[in-house]
Amino acid sequence: MSLLTHVLACLFGMGSWVAINGMWVELPLVVPEIPEGWYLPSYLTVLIQMANVGPLFITLMHRFRPGTLDERPVVYGIVALGIVATFLLAFFWKHTVTVGGSVHSVALLVLSFLLSVVDCTSSVTFLPFMMRLRPQYLTTYFVGEGLSGLVPALVALIQGVGVVQCQNGTSADWGNSVMNNSSLGDGSDLKAVYQPAKFSTQVFFMFLSAMMIVCLAAFVLLNHHPAVARERKNDLYYSGHIGTDKTEQGLSLHAQTPEQKPMISPLEVRREPRSAFGRGTYSREEVVFIFVVLAWVNALTNAVLPSVQSYSCLPYGNKAYHLAATMAAVSNPVACFIAMFIPIRSLVFMGCLTVFGTGFGAYIMAMAALSPCPLLVYSASGTVAIVLAWILFVLSLSYVKVIIGVILRDEGHSALVWCGAVVQLGSMVGAISMFPLVSVYGIFKSGDACNTKCPM
């Protein structure tokens, strides 16, 4: 294996969701400067779901016109669009236009929609492209995809996004505050005030544009660098007309070995497909199970739990919130590294790990529902519990996502296309389910780190 190819695959994966992830972590600095205020997250959620028109088109093309769509021109197009959109965002994100008598950040919303199209479409184009490389590089790609959330979060942490200081209401800088005020029972009045950032939002968006340029450069080298060409699989393998070699057999969950069936060779087993999906390695019931788990895991990790992260963590304090958010972002690429060296592809283990991660997700959701007074709110053990829950939730379910990706990669090009489509479908269902609960009915209540009092 080539170290250069691993690095390029990682950098390529980092470009998959870096733009939208960057938008989310920068919200505390963007929101005070625009007329939409804290309604912007709700708008972003809707825009991201509208952007699924891109994956839908790609999936339908593969379904009804198989073999006619080459991912490479699409990848070049969407990455170039991401570079231009993030660059323009750096200069026009504060510009407003009067529409229907109301002032709106039209440029910000339009460019956010374009970035959503880029990132959503990457799910059904980046993964199928990885079929052109050896299977080992797919896990490296997932590491990069995990870093697409971690790197913007770390840069935002350095920038000082979301650092809050409690100040007396009479001396606080009211213009910088974006949190509600409430009076304490003892008559004191504190204000939660965001501290000035170390560098501007414009610089941050320029950084995102640079990240997209790095992604484009990595993609160009993956296509044209001689060292990568030696690692690329031949066209026969890519087309699925020949069997896998011994190394690739080990990547398949149900790959039959001579020890399991000593009288039957692996090639003879493959002549009897268990279903019409991919290479027929799995039965129809197993395929349905894999895709249901994939949709469920992505709904939880990409939409359901992120929408309540602040509600679950802020009651324990601002430090708990930032620690949980940062460690959760770190857990994603860590899970990919674990999957690289310990790839357990048992469907039973996958199901148990999904239940394990869902259990921690249920705890997080319960604490969010109890906000602003969750369990152990004034205890250090409560802070440890919520941070640990976020780490184990992301770690376990991210591992499941990577293993499913590797399994489907063994099933061929079309399987990875459907993998990306189901990822987006699960995320969309999760977002649509949570939007009315969070933004319409207001079931979850924010905790004020400076003023909220709970019974002991």
Side-chain angles (χ1 to χ4, degrees):
M1 291 186 296
S2 166
L3 177 61
L4 173 64
T5 309
H6 275 295
V7 172
L8 293 177
C10 183
L11 294 176
F12 177 55
M14 285 178 64
S16 58
W17 281 92
V18 70
I20 291 300
N21 287 333
M23 280 291 300
W24 282 110
V25 300
E26 195 70 2
L27 284 181
L29 295 183
V30 172
V31 163
E33 304 291 336
I34 60 174
E36 287 79 9
W38 278 104
Y39 287 106
L40 180 61
S42 299
Y43 293 156
L44 285 179
T45 302
V46 174
L47 291 174
I48 292 172
Q49 303 319 311
M50 292 172 58
N52 279 308
V53 63
L56 177 62
F57 172 77
I58 299 295
T59 305
L60 291 177
M61 283 291 294
H62 281 288
R63 173 64 180 85
F64 296 106
R65 300 292 298 274
T68 61
L69 182 64
D70 185 355
E71 286 84 13
R72 287 174 294 183
V74 180
V75 173
Y76 278 119
I78 63 174
V79 175
L81 177 61
I83 294 172
V84 174
T86 48
F87 181 80
L88 294 177
L89 200 59
F91 297 96
F92 297 104
W93 68 273
K94 286 199 295 186
H95 285 231
T96 58
V97 176
T98 302
V99 180
S102 301
V103 178
H104 293 283
S105 305
V106 174
L108 175 64
L109 296 175
V110 171
L111 292 173
S112 297
F113 172 73
L114 294 178
L115 291 178
S116 300
V117 172
V118 170
D119 290 0
C120 290
T121 308
S122 72
S123 296
V124 292
T125 53
F126 285 22
L127 275 175
F129 169 78
M130 293 304 296
M131 273 291 297
R132 299 173 182 270
L133 305 177
R134 294 186 181 275
Q136 294 86 347
Y137 299 116
L138 181 63
T139 307
T140 308
Y141 167 84
F142 280 117
V143 172
E145 192 175 78
L147 292 175
S148 71
L150 175 61
V151 172
L154 292 178
V155 173
L157 199 62
I158 296 171
Q159 186 185 15
V161 171
V163 177
V164 176
Q165 182 177 6
C166 297
Q167 298 182 10
N168 190 301
T170 58
S171 60
D173 182 2
W174 299 87
N176 290 336
S177 176
V178 295
M179 290 186 174
N180 290 329
N181 214 11
S182 61
S183 296
L184 295 172
D186 58 5
S188 61
D189 191 20
L190 298 176
K191 190 75 173 180
V193 179
Y194 281 116
Q195 300 303 293
K198 293 183 177 64
F199 53 86
S200 67
T201 300
Q202 182 183 50
V203 173
F204 183 84
F205 286 142
M206 292 295 290
F207 163 76
L208 295 183
S209 184
M211 290 291 295
M212 294 302 298
I213 293 175
V214 170
C215 173
L216 180 61
F219 183 65
V220 171
L221 292 175
L222 284 173
N223 279 285
H224 301 291
H225 197 281
V228 180
R230 290 192 293 269
E231 297 290 330
R232 189 177 299 122
K233 302 303 295 180
N234 58 47
D235 290 337
L236 287 176
Y237 180 86
Y238 175 71
S239 302
H241 294 315
I242 64 173
T244 57
D245 57 26
K246 294 181 180 179
T247 301
E248 287 148 2
Q249 289 174 22
L251 289 175
S252 178
L253 173 64
H254 289 278
Q256 302 296 330
T257 63
E259 289 75 15
Q260 291 172 312
K261 292 185 178 292
M263 303 302 295
I264 305 176
S265 72
L267 290 176
E268 290 173 336
V269 172
R270 279 196 294 269
R271 291 195 187 102
E272 300 176 1
R274 301 171 64 189
S275 72
F277 178 78
R279 293 188 170 90
T281 308
Y282 305 94
S283 66
R284 180 178 301 176
E285 292 76 15
E286 288 172 330
V287 171
V288 171
F289 173 78
I290 290 172
F291 280 123
V292 167
V293 169
L294 183 63
W296 173 257
V297 166
N298 279 278
L300 293 183
T301 57
N302 296 346
V304 175
L305 272 301
S307 65
V308 299
Q309 185 172 45
S310 60
Y311 300 103
S312 67
C313 298
L314 277 179
Y316 296 98
N318 195 57
K319 290 183 179 179
Y321 172 72
H322 281 284
L323 185 60
T326 303
M327 294 306 297
V330 171
S331 298
N332 194 322
V334 168
C336 299
F337 275 113
I338 295 174
M340 183 183 297
F341 298 104
I342 312 177
I344 303 174
R345 298 170 181 83
S346 165
L347 290 184
V348 174
F349 177 77
M350 183 193 304
C352 292
L353 197 58
T354 302
V355 173
F356 178 79
T358 302
F360 285 105
Y363 175 81
I364 294 169
M365 184 64 71
M367 296 306 101
L370 292 173
S371 178
C373 298
L375 300 177
L376 305 173
V377 64
Y378 293 126
S379 170
S381 59
T383 301
V384 172
I386 194 65
V387 173
L388 191 61
W390 271 102
I391 293 174
L392 294 176
F393 165 74
V394 174
L395 192 67
S396 56
L397 297 190
S398 295
Y399 183 92
V400 172
K401 288 194 290 185
V402 174
I403 292 302
I404 291 179
V406 173
I407 287 174
L408 294 179
R409 189 249 180 249
D410 282 351
E411 292 305 298
H413 180 267
S414 63
L416 280 183
V417 174
W418 282 107
C419 176
V422 172
V423 166
Q424 291 306 116
L425 177 63
S427 303
M428 181 180 67
V429 171
I432 292 175
S433 301
M434 292 304 296
F435 180 78
L437 299 180
V438 175
S439 303
V440 178
Y441 299 109
I443 292 177
F444 300 94
K445 306 297 180 183
S446 299
D448 189 333
C450 296
N451 294 315
T452 301
K453 273 195 170 183
C454 299
M456 300 297 292

